[in-house]
Amino acid sequence: MAEIESGEAQPNAEPQDQVEPQTQQEIKKTSKKKSDTFRMADESAAECLFDRLRQHQQRAPDATEVARAITARINSRLTSHDKHIRQTSLEKLWNKHSGALQMLVSILETSRDSATCTYITSILRETLCLKPGKGKRLSANNLMRQQCAEDFIAMKGTQAIVRKLLGILHDKRERHASSELLQQDLLWILAPLGSRDPKFAMKVRMLGCVRTMHLILKGHFTDNKIIFPLLVIMKQLAKNSVTTSVLIRDGVISTYERIMVSLGFIPTARLRLCLDAIDYFSKNKVCCMQIVKTGLSTVLLRVFDRWDRYEGRMRLKICAHILQTLQHLCNIKAGRRALCTKKHVQTLHRFCSHCPDEPEFDGLLARVCSVITLCLKHQALPVAAASPAMFNLNPILKGTNTLWPCQDEEDNVNSDSKTVNSDADDDGPEPDLDSIEEFPDFDLDESETKSETIPEDTEKVISKSGDSIQSAIWINPNERDIEDLKKYFIFFKEFGSYNKQVRLVKSRSNSRGSILEDFLISQANIKNMTSSLNLSLSTVLGANECDNLFGTSSSYQYYKVHESASSTSCSSLKIHKDISKYSPFSSVYCTISSKVKSVIPFVKVAYPDMTGGQSQNIPEPLNQMERTACRNKLLSCVDRAINPEAYMYEVIYDLDQLCSGSSDPNTPKSLSCESFYLCNNDEQEVAKMNTFSTRLSFESRFESGNLRKAIQVGPREYELILMPDVNSNKRHQWFYFEVRNMQQGRPYIFNIVNCEKSDSQFNFGMKPVMYSVKEAISGRQGWVRAGTDICYYRNSYHYAHQRNLNKCYLTVTFNIEFPHNNDVCYLAYHFPYTYSMMMARIWHWSLQMPAGAYLRAETLCYSLNNNEIPLVTISADDTPSNPIVEREIIFLTSRVHPGESNASWVMDGTLGYLLGDTPAAAALRAKYVFKIVPMLNVEGVINGCHRCGLTNEDLNRRWCKPSPVLHPSIYHTKGLIEYLVRVWKKPPLVYCDYHGHSRKKNVFFYGCAGAESWCSNDRMVQDEPVKYLMLPALMHRISAAFALGSCSFRVEKERESTARVTVWRHLRVTRSYTMEASFCGFDKGPFKGFHLNTQHLQNVGGDFCEALTSLNDAATNVDIQITKDLNGNIVEISINDQGENSEIGVDSEPGSAPDSVLKTDSDEDFD
């Protein structure tokens, strides 16, 4: 045979090769039959063996010899050299229905015979432990082992193995070779179970085996037979915070220090497992202290210093685990001190200098730079701790029992605890403020008023536990007094005279009297009314109106006259007073902007806003990140932190200094601009400028502007520092400023160095926007996306406030090549939409009303700085065939977060559609009455804030119980909706709050579904998905920008004080939504891969109106079924309409989830 198989004997094999094909086929058939016969016999033998095991288990467990013989036979089959025998036995064990594993575990737990237990553990090890190698058969077997491990866990096998291990260690009578072998097999079995069992650490802890595992590790860390499974088990225990604490108290860090020394620097799987476990342990600050004390941090840096000697994925994993541990060490002062030695910094900087230019090393480089910036000496921002944007609230609060400042809410801009579909920026609602509930009285002569306040009873503080929160939600929905709500009828003039409203409410409520009637009678004899608040509804009315309203019968005559003219447009906004209807838009804008009151005095009007602020309607692709450029900028940032003396630091623009020179710091920085007319001379200045300057000049003192300081650090490189929100030292994101004195064709680098969000769409395709005055003059007017080499990374500037002392700011950096010399350009985070632009647009629409339309713009209330907050009412004229009182009401709000200018552009599209001269718009006006508050946070918008207004509070966390003093826009907007619900007895059909989203792309909805609520009471109520799913489904059909797969209808505990949830829960409006529009662009649909522009946003507003047109008709006799994927994203909506079936499929490509990958802190963002 040897000769036949050798190469030399091939000629002797020729006669065999000439055998006829038919004979060869017969030989193959015979061989196959023998193989099948052998396999059948082997299967029968295996079946017989497992039957004997089953019969033994059913008998009394005293037949030790029988159990030993059966298990020995099974073990011999698993270790046989014949692969068919091994495979047959394994398949029997893997078969869940055979019950073989359960029988073996049962015998293992009850048997006292060491030989039997050893055989069983050997069988389980062969059955459950993965085998190294390649090949189809091996891969298939390993998949079966993984599935078998999950079945083994389900039958409580993990607990059985842990108990057996404890039994062996505690049994001092059996200390021989078989017990050591048994312990070895048990540890090898636990290793794969720990990786597959999500509750492994809890089970080990409940059985009291955590310290036992550490004891075994301390005694056997040099034992090559069991060190690997021990390290796997310890890694799983390190993932659990409770078991981590137990192990740290037991001295596990000292043990790992000795293991690291014994392993040396050889890149093995054991070293990787050690580093992985240390990474998990180091999330505990006590552990970080022990790592420093034991010198383990030095050992880690020695291993890291040899990174270039490692290869492949092992090098990446080892470096990643060490760097993550070093980042955790930087969270404590001792850790930073230990890493801040010259030798250690040089080790880290050496990696930066020699890091390979490959994509897989980019993450490591970012981590090394982060460690260097964290462990260096704290570098504060070169600005004063106190912002110049401070507003004195004491005069407003004087005479009231309202408290400010309240406990500062913790922003989630630096927390990663949010889910993907999370729709808020803050961790949760702040405690509600105690405030007066007395509604401001009507009196015009402020000099004669006397302060009268009725303090509200102090409410009991409700615990935030689950049960008490649920009770508070259902028992105490923070309803206002009916006597207070009555007064909102002055905003519903379209429903007729007072007498008519009384009759309508009376007939709808089917009661003897009306609360409106009672109110009018009670007010008839009141002549002089006083108020302590200047933010009331009384400021809406002029002197004559107040006399007519609260006099005798003349009040009815005035409103009857006004009602008869309802078919014409009416704007009672004071800011529109004395504006000629023939004035151009730019003149109107400047006039309005000059009347706006700001915290920091304005010096000009921004040219883009004065000319309409639209973007150029051209497709603009998303930015493709340049790795090399971003890497170079990151290294440059680190180099500036290490060698600051090598760079020039020259202050070019300092808003703090400009403000200190223009006002007295002891007085409130609130300026009335009525005596100073603001204008813009950019066109004239562009024509005059012909000189070249070595530095740019900046300006941000205009409406919605935000830039605090500009520092030149290189010939064409500038560090920019943004303003925080008013009365705050944080929330930096929105920017809007002017640049001039540039040179054409030369790249200027802008580094905005005090961003706070852990990640940004700037890392995923978003570009800032730029407006060129010279381009506009030449006919190419509009904002464009601009910038190259855009990236977002952590820098070396540390937070100034004590609570975030160990955190660093982040930088967004981009290069700009300006299109012209000596141009005037504006750069912004997103397309600006100012308060003055909104007011100018309302004025413009009021002059161009289509026939039969009804428009009324009035002042809902005044902001804290005495700026008007408008309320817009839109419908069609009242007719006998279509009475206005019978129409459904749609309530819309926008811009509660001032940095979300895209929300205002969507609202602009909605208002433009509703007031358009088209048949569709006329039909929509005839169908509904629209109540719209287009800008809730006017102070934040005016003063260039990102999240808050003048009170340093997120107004979208104040809807549960707003203060009439501190949150007038929220207080009165909620009052309008509550009036409709509780007094007018006709809740809005739809409530929608427009927002912007900084983490996701496309446009989408957040809604409210009881079935997806955190509150168990909500889940018990029968849900009607057709009510809240129909509008998103219609939007998906109509709007190309809408992404149904990104919608979410979860009601989360921390969102209870948002507008969406408050209106849904407390005011019972089923269709309560937040509509989110991305700052960036699209990752699905026809616009995939392109930026959003203002036309897209305005079209979304119009598409929303079209969806409303079909809402009522589509919502009858409709059954909706929703299909979601494993991540909870909507995949498909099936609509059954009176027997007709239609499906709305959702693009399931990746991208609906947030792009964020730099999970270092967190993001917002959303309601």
Side-chain angles (χ1 to χ4, degrees):
M1 290 293 293
E3 292 179 356
I4 293 174
E5 292 176 359
S6 66
E8 297 176 358
Q10 288 302 319
N12 297 330
E14 288 181 5
Q16 280 188 323
D17 294 338
Q18 296 174 1
V19 178
E20 296 180 1
Q22 186 176 1
T23 307
Q24 289 183 358
Q25 292 177 3
E26 290 177 358
I27 293 172
K28 288 181 181 179
K29 288 180 180 180
T30 304
S31 175
K32 186 178 180 181
K33 287 181 180 180
K34 289 181 180 180
S35 177
D36 292 342
T37 304
F38 176 77
R39 187 178 295 108
M40 292 175 62
D42 184 64
E43 290 177 358
S44 299
E47 187 66 38
C48 180
L49 197 59
F50 284 106
D51 283 341
R52 288 181 60 195
L53 183 66
R54 194 176 295 107
Q55 292 171 8
H56 166 76
Q57 189 192 21
Q58 294 172 356
R59 296 200 304 268
D62 56 355
T64 303
E65 297 295 334
V66 177
R68 185 187 304 169
I70 296 173
T71 53
R73 180 61 180 156
I74 296 174
N75 185 48
S76 66
R77 290 177 62 83
L78 290 175
T79 56
S80 171
H81 293 289
D82 193 323
K83 62 180 181 179
H84 295 295
I85 295 176
R86 291 199 309 271
Q87 189 67 26
T88 304
S89 303
L90 284 172
E91 288 173 357
K92 288 292 181 183
L93 289 164
W94 289 334
N95 189 353
K96 184 178 180 180
H97 302 291
S98 67
L101 283 179
Q102 199 160 1
M103 290 185 287
L104 290 171
V105 171
S106 178
I107 296 172
L108 178 66
E109 287 189 290
T110 57
S111 176
R112 301 285 296 174
D113 182 53
S114 60
T116 304
C117 293
T118 303
Y119 290 137
I120 293 175
T121 54
S122 178
I123 294 167
L124 294 177
R125 179 177 173 180
E126 194 71 28
T127 307
L128 300 173
C129 293
L130 302 181
K131 301 294 181 183
K134 297 180 180 180
K136 290 185 178 180
R137 171 63 69 182
L138 187 61
S139 299
N141 285 351
N142 281 339
L143 287 174
M144 293 301 298
R145 287 186 173 95
Q146 292 177 4
Q147 182 60 48
C148 184
E150 293 179 0
D151 296 339
F152 190 79
I153 292 167
M155 64 177 69
K156 300 183 178 180
T158 304
Q159 294 93 315
I161 300 299
V162 173
R163 282 195 293 266
K164 191 64 182 179
L165 181 62
L166 283 171
I168 294 172
L169 294 173
H170 294 160
D171 193 354
K172 299 181 179 180
R173 296 174 299 173
E174 297 185 6
R175 291 294 184 186
H176 45 74
S178 62
S179 65
E180 292 293 328
L181 184 61
L182 183 59
Q183 175 182 305
Q184 177 182 326
D185 285 339
L186 289 171
L187 291 172
W188 276 99
I189 294 167
L190 278 177
L193 295 180
S195 302
R196 308 292 297 181
D197 192 347
K199 297 182 179 179
F200 177 78
M202 185 192 71
K203 293 174 181 177
V204 173
R205 178 170 58 87
M206 296 301 291
L207 292 170
C209 196
V210 177
R211 288 189 173 90
T212 303
M213 290 297 181
H214 181 213
L215 184 65
I216 299 173
L217 180 66
K218 282 199 292 188
H220 297 82
F221 69 86
T222 57
D223 188 348
N224 292 329
K225 295 181 180 179
I226 60 174
I227 182 62
F228 185 84
L230 273 172
L231 291 174
V232 173
I233 294 168
M234 294 299 291
K235 172 188 168 183
Q236 301 305 319
L237 295 178
K239 291 181 179 181
N240 184 279
S241 59
V242 179
T243 53
T244 292
S245 301
V246 174
L247 290 169
I248 290 171
R249 288 196 297 268
D250 205 37
V252 72
I253 298 303
S254 299
T255 304
Y256 268 93
E257 193 270 337
R258 286 185 287 167
I259 295 172
M260 290 288 296
V261 172
S262 67
L263 291 175
F265 306 114
I266 302 172
T268 61
R270 298 174 187 177
L271 178 62
R272 181 179 59 80
L273 284 169
C274 273
L275 295 173
D276 201 357
I278 294 170
D279 179 14
Y280 284 113
F281 283 130
S282 63
K283 294 178 180 179
N284 185 298
K285 289 189 176 181
V286 177
C287 174
C288 291
M289 185 64 70
Q290 291 188 11
I291 290 175
V292 174
K293 287 182 178 179
T294 58
L296 182 56
S297 57
T298 304
V299 176
L300 294 175
L301 281 165
R302 287 178 188 168
V303 176
F304 181 76
D305 198 24
R306 290 162 174 77
W307 65 272
D308 53 343
R309 304 180 189 180
Y310 308 146
E311 294 181 353
R313 292 186 59 81
M314 184 64 72
R315 170 165 63 177
L316 297 174
K317 291 180 179 179
I318 288 175
C319 291
H321 292 318
I322 293 175
L323 291 174
Q324 286 176 192
T325 303
L326 297 181
Q327 280 185 307
H328 296 152
L329 291 181
C330 290
N331 290 329
I332 63 171
K333 191 173 182 179
R336 293 192 298 275
R337 195 184 308 118
L339 296 177
C340 199
T341 63
K342 183 177 180 180
K343 182 180 178 181
H344 292 165
V345 172
Q346 286 178 347
T347 298
L348 296 170
H349 194 261
R350 190 160 48 245
F351 177 87
C352 296
S353 304
H354 299 91
C355 181
D357 188 12
E358 299 173 9
E360 55 265 25
F361 284 91
D362 289 348
L364 296 180
L365 181 63
R367 289 189 183 279
V368 171
C369 294
S370 175
V371 171
I372 292 175
T373 55
L374 285 169
C375 69
L376 287 176
K377 183 180 179 181
H378 284 178
Q379 183 179 2
L381 284 171
V383 291
S387 163
M390 301 299 291
F391 184 79
N392 188 1
L393 291 170
N394 291 329
I396 296 174
L397 301 176
K398 187 177 180 181
T400 73
N401 67 341
T402 305
L403 301 178
W404 191 90
C406 62
Q407 183 179 355
D408 191 25
E409 62 187 334
E410 181 66 21
D411 237 312
N412 109 349
V413 289
N414 292 302
S415 154
D416 257 341
S417 60
K418 291 300 183 299
T419 59
V420 164
N421 286 316
S422 168
D423 50 353
D425 191 16
D426 304 325
D427 291 337
E430 295 180 38
D432 290 317
L433 299 174
D434 293 329
S435 58
I436 61 170
E437 288 286 11
E438 176 66 11
F439 199 91
D441 297 331
F442 295 79
D443 195 339
L444 288 175
D445 192 356
E446 294 184 6
S447 62
E448 298 178 1
T449 59
K450 295 181 180 180
S451 223
E452 292 184 8
T453 58
I454 301 177
E456 180 191 5
D457 293 337
T458 305
E459 296 190 355
K460 296 180 179 179
V461 178
I462 301 172
S463 170
K464 286 192 176 183
S465 64
D467 293 339
S468 51
I469 284 239
Q470 291 189 28
S471 302
I473 288 170
W474 291 93
I475 296 173
N476 180 26
N478 293 316
E479 291 183 348
R480 286 168 61 179
D481 186 68
I482 284 290
E483 294 298 320
D484 192 5
L485 291 177
K486 293 175 187 177
K487 307 174 186 179
Y488 284 104
F489 59 63
I490 65 174
F491 295 105
F492 296 91
K493 304 184 185 80
E494 65 274 9
F495 293 148
S497 65
Y498 294 146
N499 287 333
K500 185 176 180 181
Q501 288 196 39
V502 169
R503 291 194 298 271
L504 288 169
V505 174
K506 202 182 286 187
S507 61
R508 188 177 293 116
S509 60
N510 195 22
S511 60
R512 295 181 185 177
S514 165
I515 57 174
L516 290 178
E517 186 176 24
D518 296 339
F519 173 71
L520 291 174
I521 293 172
S522 66
Q523 297 293 328
N525 298 323
I526 299 178
K527 294 182 179 179
N528 297 318
M529 305 179 67
T530 59
S531 172
S532 65
L533 295 180
N534 181 12
L535 312 168
S536 66
L537 298 176
S538 63
T539 55
V540 177
L541 306 176
N544 294 332
E545 295 178 46
C546 284
D547 293 340
N548 289 331
L549 176 58
F550 297 108
T552 55
S553 60
S554 62
S555 61
Y556 301 105
Q557 295 175 0
Y558 171 81
Y559 281 103
K560 285 181 181 179
V561 172
H562 182 80
E563 181 191 2
S564 65
S566 64
S567 60
T568 60
S569 65
C570 172
S571 173
S572 61
L573 299 172
K574 292 184 178 180
I575 206 166
H576 290 161
K577 187 179 179 182
D578 300 330
I579 297 179
S580 170
K581 64 179 180 180
Y582 302 107
S583 301
F585 183 88
S586 58
S587 175
V588 173
Y589 184 90
C590 291
T591 302
I592 292 174
S593 184
S594 300
K595 298 178 181 179
V596 171
K597 301 173 182 64
S598 62
V599 175
I600 293 177
F602 296 150
V603 298
K604 65 179 297 184
V605 168
Y607 186 88
D609 305 327
M610 186 183 71
T611 56
Q614 290 274 0
S615 67
Q616 294 184 13
N617 192 16
I618 55 175
E620 296 176 296
L622 297 177
N623 179 58
Q624 298 296 322
M625 182 180 288
E626 293 288 339
R627 284 185 46 260
T628 304
C630 291
R631 178 184 285 240
N632 292 337
K633 290 194 173 185
L634 191 60
L635 293 175
S636 175
C637 175
V638 173
D639 190 57
R640 275 202 300 273
I642 297 176
N643 305 307
E645 66 280 355
Y647 294 83
M648 60 183 291
Y649 283 87
E650 185 175 352
V651 177
I652 305 300
Y653 178 79
D654 190 350
L655 186 61
D656 297 56
Q657 185 177 0
L658 293 172
C659 291
S660 64
S662 62
S663 64
D664 184 359
N666 297 322
T667 60
K669 295 183 181 180
S670 176
L671 180 70
S672 175
C673 298
E674 293 182 4
S675 59
F676 181 73
Y677 184 79
L678 296 175
C679 60
N680 182 280
N681 300 318
D682 287 349
E683 291 187 7
Q684 294 81 355
E685 292 181 14
V686 164
K688 290 189 298 184
M689 288 191 302
N690 291 315
T691 59
F692 293 96
S693 175
T694 58
R695 62 177 63 92
L696 300 175
S697 65
F698 296 83
E699 184 57 80
S700 64
R701 288 174 295 168
F702 47 80
E703 195 170 338
S704 295
N706 188 313
L707 178 65
R708 185 175 183 181
K709 199 168 190 176
I711 304 171
Q712 187 174 11
V713 297
R716 289 189 303 276
E717 185 172 4
Y718 296 83
E719 282 192 352
L720 308 179
I721 300 174
L722 304 181
M723 284 283 293
D725 285 358
V726 177
N727 287 344
S728 174
N729 57 6
K730 55 184 178 179
R731 301 183 185 90
H732 309 86
Q733 177 171 312
W734 171 259
F735 60 87
Y736 183 21
F737 55 88
E738 170 201 291
V739 185
R740 59 178 67 205
N741 296 335
M742 69 284 295
Q743 297 180 30
Q744 176 185 1
R746 296 190 177 185
Y748 289 84
I749 303 173
F750 297 96
N751 306 316
I752 299 175
V753 297
N754 62 332
C755 300
E756 293 174 326
K757 293 185 180 299
S758 65
D759 206 359
S760 169
Q761 283 290 317
F762 283 120
N763 268 342
F764 301 97
M766 189 171 89
K767 295 182 179 181
V769 296
M770 183 181 75
Y771 192 104
S772 166
V773 173
K774 282 192 174 181
E775 288 285 295
I777 294 173
S778 61
R780 294 181 292 275
Q781 181 175 317
W783 290 95
V784 295
R785 298 281 181 170
T788 58
D789 298 348
I790 302 170
C791 55
Y792 191 82
Y793 55 85
R794 195 169 295 280
N795 60 41
S796 58
Y797 289 114
H798 289 255
Y799 279 41
H801 40 292
Q802 186 66 29
R803 187 157 40 178
N804 292 318
L805 192 61
N806 300 330
K807 291 181 179 287
C808 291
Y809 287 105
L810 292 100
T811 295
V812 55
T813 176
F814 49 87
N815 295 2
I816 295 288
E817 288 191 19
F818 295 102
H820 301 282
N821 286 325
N822 293 319
D823 196 0
V824 176
C825 293
Y826 294 81
L827 296 174
Y829 180 81
H830 194 70
F831 309 108
Y833 195 103
T834 64
Y835 171 76
S836 296
M837 186 184 296
M838 176 193 67
M839 288 301 201
R841 296 284 286 167
I842 292 174
W843 172 86
H844 177 75
W845 283 317
S846 68
L847 300 180
Q848 300 180 354
M849 287 291 295
Y854 178 94
L855 168 66
R856 189 175 73 254
E858 55 196 322
T859 307
L860 173 63
C861 59
Y862 280 78
S863 68
L864 299 184
N865 203 16
N866 209 28
N867 289 299
E868 290 178 286
I869 298 173
L871 170 68
V872 179
T873 303
I874 300 174
S875 190
D877 286 342
D878 193 7
T879 62
S881 59
N882 182 20
I884 197 169
V885 295
E886 298 298 328
R887 299 172 195 167
E888 296 285 356
I889 299 168
I890 307 294
F891 209 107
L892 306 178
T893 57
S894 180
R895 205 69 181 276
V896 71
H897 296 142
E900 297 169 2
S901 59
N902 43 0
S904 282
W905 282 108
V906 176
M907 180 59 75
D908 186 90
T910 297
L911 290 169
Y913 184 97
L914 291 175
L915 297 172
D917 191 9
T918 63
L924 195 61
R925 292 192 297 265
K927 189 172 185 178
Y928 299 116
V929 175
F930 288 87
K931 289 288 180 180
I932 301 173
V933 184
M935 192 171 285
L936 287 167
N937 193 344
V938 300
E939 290 300 336
V941 174
I942 291 168
N943 294 290
C945 299
H946 161 56
R947 189 78 180 175
C948 304
L950 300 185
T951 62
N952 189 24
E953 297 171 280
D954 185 346
L955 295 185
N956 205 32
R957 295 298 178 280
R958 289 293 174 267
W959 278 79
C960 273
K961 191 176 180 183
S963 163
V965 181
L966 294 177
H967 325 119
S969 62
I970 306 301
Y971 181 83
H972 294 308
T973 302
K974 184 181 178 184
L976 291 177
I977 304 174
E978 200 165 351
Y979 173 86
L980 292 171
V981 174
R982 300 176 57 206
V983 179
W984 185 243
K985 303 296 184 183
K986 196 169 187 178
L989 179 68
V990 173
Y991 170 78
C992 190
D993 191 20
Y994 293 2
H995 281 256
H997 205 293
S998 70
R999 291 183 64 195
K1000 296 172 75 173
K1001 293 183 173 66
N1002 313 303
V1003 179
F1004 51 93
F1005 276 172
Y1006 288 125
C1008 298
E1012 299 186 47
S1013 172
W1014 68 273
C1015 180
S1016 59
N1017 292 336
D1018 295 335
R1019 297 192 296 272
M1020 290 188 295
V1021 178
Q1022 184 67 32
D1023 219 355
E1024 296 182 77
V1026 65
K1027 288 189 175 180
Y1028 58 81
L1029 286 176
M1030 180 55 71
L1031 189 59
L1034 292 170
M1035 276 293 289
H1036 185 73
R1037 281 181 170 178
I1038 294 168
S1039 178
F1042 193 80
L1044 189 61
S1046 299
C1047 295
S1048 174
F1049 300 92
R1050 284 180 293 185
V1051 180
E1052 296 169 307
K1053 187 175 180 179
E1054 59 269 23
R1055 310 291 175 261
E1056 285 296 330
S1057 54
T1058 61
R1060 169 175 61 94
V1061 180
T1062 301
V1063 171
W1064 170 75
R1065 182 184 300 287
H1066 296 164
L1067 303 179
R1068 305 300 183 192
V1069 179
T1070 306
R1071 299 180 181 89
S1072 179
Y1073 303 100
T1074 295
M1075 181 158 62
E1076 301 277 358
S1078 174
F1079 284 104
C1080 180
F1082 305 95
D1083 61 3
K1084 56 181 59 177
F1087 304 128
K1088 180 179 179 180
F1090 290 92
H1091 277 102
L1092 274 159
N1093 57 36
T1094 57
Q1095 287 76 20
H1096 291 139
L1097 295 168
Q1098 288 172 315
N1099 291 339
V1100 167
D1103 294 339
F1104 180 75
C1105 294
E1106 288 188 31
L1108 290 175
T1109 304
S1110 307
L1111 181 62
N1112 261 357
D1113 301 333
T1116 57
N1117 300 322
V1118 174
D1119 179 33
I1120 290 186
Q1121 294 182 348
I1122 188 169
T1123 305
K1124 297 184 178 182
D1125 61 14
L1126 295 176
N1127 296 323
N1129 298 320
I1130 299 175
V1131 176
E1132 185 179 74
I1133 288 185
S1134 177
I1135 303 177
N1136 301 319
D1137 187 358
Q1138 296 179 350
E1140 296 183 3
N1141 234 344
S1142 64
E1143 291 185 352
I1144 298 177
V1146 179
D1147 185 359
S1148 60
E1149 294 179 14
S1152 60
D1155 295 305
S1156 181
V1157 292
L1158 305 179
K1159 300 290 186 182
T1160 54
D1161 292 289
S1162 174
D1163 195 356
E1164 109 190 63
D1165 189 325
F1166 320 133
D1167 274 345

